[in-house]
Amino acid sequence: MPSWPRSSLFAGAMIVLLALAIFPWLGAPVYFVSLLFTVFMYVCLATSWNLIGGYAGYLSFGHVAFFGIGAYTTALLVKGFHLSALETILSSVPAGFVAMLVALLVGYPCLRLRGPYFAVVTLCFAFVMDLLIKNLNFLGGPEGLWLKSMDLPIQTVRAILFEAMLGVTALSIAVAYWTDRSKFGAGLRAIREDEEVAQTMAINAPKLKMQAFALSAFFPGMAGGIYAYYLTYIHTDVVFDMMISILIVLMALFGGGGTLLGPIIGAVLLTLINEGLSTFVKAELARIIYGSLFVGVIIFLPNGIMEFFRRTQGESPH
Amino acid sequence: MLEGEKVTKHFGGLVALSEIDFEINRGEIVGLIGPNGSGKTTLFNVISGLYKPESGQIRFEGTLINGLPPYRIAQMGIGRTFQIVRPLMDLSLIQNVAIGVMYGRDDINTLPHALERASELLRFVGLESKAYLLPGKLALEDLKRLEIARALASKPEIILLDEVFAGLNQKEIEAAIALTFHIRDRFGITVFMIEHVMKAIMETCSRIMVLHHGEKIAEGEPQAVANDPRVIQAYLGAGYVGR
Ligand SMILES: Nc1ncnc2c1ncn2[C@@H]1O[C@H](COP(=O)(O)OP(=O)(O)OP(=O)(O)O)[C@@H](O)[C@H]1O
Ligand SMILES: [Mg+2]
């Protein structure tokens, strides 16, 4: 990555953030506000996933579970404590912590497995969570759960939740930015390249992997909480949808795993392309184009779109 | 500072190490030789924690270390190189070394400081001009040097060198011998080295151990060991001795 001075980088990020924050209040159609909300959500999910999947090389195919756990945590908190609108939004914080806790419990045994075994076991974990919640009646079971919406015009409600999702996304990017240049991130990279060698370099690989996995579950948990409030109705088929798990992985790798900008670029592009295709082209055709595009990038840029920038700069990855 | 007692390691039915006793004292350069497949690398893997021995004890500064995870052993001050080089492929040389510095026993935790130190270490092993290349661009001799720089990055008390002289020409061997002495004299690091290049062993080591089929068959001063009939027999096969 080109290394701009830190202050101008920060100023640039702040300007972008501010511009995005004003957007929903400028009277844009709800459609665009919703579309951007979805873009943020995927940027947040892919960026978080990148901490464990991209930097540490542990491909989690079960990340939707953390999103779903966050959604259900918020829904349960709202139901149990009759939370106000503001409290509901803030409940995404405990939702994130619950997701993190689950990640610690699941990560302890699973992170001993490597490569395809880890991918498969995380996939199974997401299936199990889905089934478990579907079969627990106090969680709505197969009927799902309703959340009371805010007593405000839809435009305002969407704008408020837009800001909340933007905030979580910005936070996840800030953490990824820190990881990218910290000792923590360097250790994760070493683990990705060769975990045994990393250990002989005095890197406490088991601990670092747990930290990365927990962190990578926290933001999806928060995003899930906000998404639940946004939908006002949640069902396991929606918030534990395996497609989301797969999309997260695809977006991060499409943009470039283990880089700061890769998952952001991947999530923005794929969300917009997906949206564009599903509006303008027949569904089957859309899926074919979407699939071919992905195959094309994998063949020509196996390390994602970021690889292209690296090549043109001709320098080793940062 | 490092001692092993009856260290034994099996691979299925194969006895790769059979009740090996050894002791390395601080400040020594000790050689470990033996024919191919005699168990030398396995001994290093057991010491550095990558393999767990079936029985026996390994102590470092008096503390029992067998059974500890590799990162703990590295944190205690045992560094190593890999015979079959294992660079972190997607990271430049300086990053390979800088990561070792940050996690090592030096009190350096930030990237800029670690990069500074890493570049000193790369200069020390003669790789400064290639610091920003990826390992994939390097020849094997250079990758062996990278192994050394990365092991030094953790600031170990003792370094285990596994055939870092292999494939070097006469002139490069001279340089590598000087480097070995520097590791001990300038960094104060004890050296335990596996080597096939006899010249290097004879000139650097004060003491050598010989493994054969997982057993220690000789130990002592280089000259004496080189003339030991059992050692000659191990290397050249039975029937050679006395011919
Ligand atoms: N991971 C392993 N699994 C099974 N067998 C192994 C393993 N590692 C080593 N061995 C076997 O143990 C024996 C000792 O191997 P080792 O690599 O320690 O030999 P070495 O003395 O280092 O030889 P070389 O000089 O060729 O490097 C060999 O027979 C080898 O095939
Ligand atoms: Mg060997």
Short mmCIF file of all heavy atoms in Angstrom, two decimals, chain B residues 40-41 83 162-163 194, ligand 2:
data_model
loop_
_atom_site.label_atom_id
_atom_site.label_comp_id
_atom_site.label_asym_id
_atom_site.label_seq_id
_atom_site.Cartn_x
_atom_site.Cartn_y
_atom_site.Cartn_z
N LYS B 40 19.57 -36.70 13.34
CA LYS B 40 20.07 -35.38 13.76
C LYS B 40 18.96 -34.34 13.78
O LYS B 40 18.75 -33.65 14.79
CB LYS B 40 21.21 -34.93 12.81
CG LYS B 40 22.33 -35.93 12.69
CD LYS B 40 23.44 -35.45 11.78
CE LYS B 40 23.04 -35.26 10.32
NZ LYS B 40 22.65 -36.51 9.64
N THR B 41 18.26 -34.22 12.66
CA THR B 41 17.18 -33.24 12.59
C THR B 41 16.09 -33.57 13.61
O THR B 41 15.50 -32.68 14.22
CB THR B 41 16.60 -33.18 11.16
OG1 THR B 41 17.64 -32.77 10.27
CG2 THR B 41 15.45 -32.20 11.07
N GLN B 83 16.62 -27.22 8.22
CA GLN B 83 17.45 -27.80 7.16
C GLN B 83 16.79 -27.58 5.80
O GLN B 83 17.43 -27.14 4.85
CB GLN B 83 17.62 -29.30 7.43
CG GLN B 83 18.42 -30.02 6.37
CD GLN B 83 18.52 -31.51 6.68
OE1 GLN B 83 17.98 -31.99 7.68
NE2 GLN B 83 19.22 -32.23 5.85
N ASP B 162 20.83 -26.18 11.53
CA ASP B 162 20.69 -27.47 10.84
C ASP B 162 21.20 -27.36 9.40
O ASP B 162 20.49 -26.91 8.51
CB ASP B 162 19.22 -27.92 10.86
CG ASP B 162 19.07 -29.39 10.52
OD1 ASP B 162 20.04 -29.99 10.02
OD2 ASP B 162 17.97 -29.94 10.76
N GLU B 163 22.43 -27.78 9.18
CA GLU B 163 23.05 -27.81 7.85
C GLU B 163 22.93 -26.50 7.10
O GLU B 163 22.43 -26.45 5.98
CB GLU B 163 22.45 -28.95 7.02
CG GLU B 163 22.79 -30.30 7.62
CD GLU B 163 22.60 -31.44 6.64
OE1 GLU B 163 22.73 -31.21 5.42
OE2 GLU B 163 22.34 -32.56 7.09
N ILE B 194 24.34 -28.94 13.24
CA ILE B 194 24.40 -30.16 12.44
C ILE B 194 25.16 -29.78 11.17
O ILE B 194 24.86 -28.75 10.56
CB ILE B 194 22.99 -30.64 12.05
CG1 ILE B 194 22.20 -31.03 13.28
CG2 ILE B 194 23.09 -31.82 11.07
CD1 ILE B 194 20.74 -31.39 12.99
MG MG C 2 18.52 -33.63 8.85
#
